């Protein structure tokens, strides 16, 4: 029977494989460019000298 470390490694690898498969499956139909439905605000930083 495999030792404890080998079993933990197998379970961890299986979990990573399941998560990667789920990620690829969920994002398969998404478009490449994000669609923003809000106005993007811009800001400007003006540095004022202290003296």
């Amino acid at each position: 029977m495999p030792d404890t470390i080998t079993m933990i490694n197998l379970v961890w690898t299986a979990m990573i494989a399941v998560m990667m498969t789920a990620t690829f499956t969920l994002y398969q139909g998404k478009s490449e460019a994000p669609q923003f439905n809000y106005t993007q605000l811009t800001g400007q930083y003006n540095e004022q000298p202290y003296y």
Side-chain angles (χ1 to χ4, degrees):
M1 181 166 177
D3 60 344
T4 305
I5 295 175
T6 304
M7 291 302 293
I8 292 172
N9 286 337
L10 287 173
V11 171
W12 183 257
T13 304
M15 284 175 46
I16 297 297
V18 168
M19 287 190 288
M20 291 296 290
T21 303
T23 301
F24 287 133
T25 303
L26 289 173
Y27 286 100
Q28 190 174 14
K30 301 282 184 184
S31 63
E32 295 295 324
Q35 301 295 325
F36 296 110
N37 294 327
Y38 55 87
T39 304
Q40 293 184 354
L41 302 176
T42 59
Q44 185 176 3
Y45 176 73
N46 294 324
E47 184 176 344
Q48 297 292 328
Y50 184 72
Y51 296 104

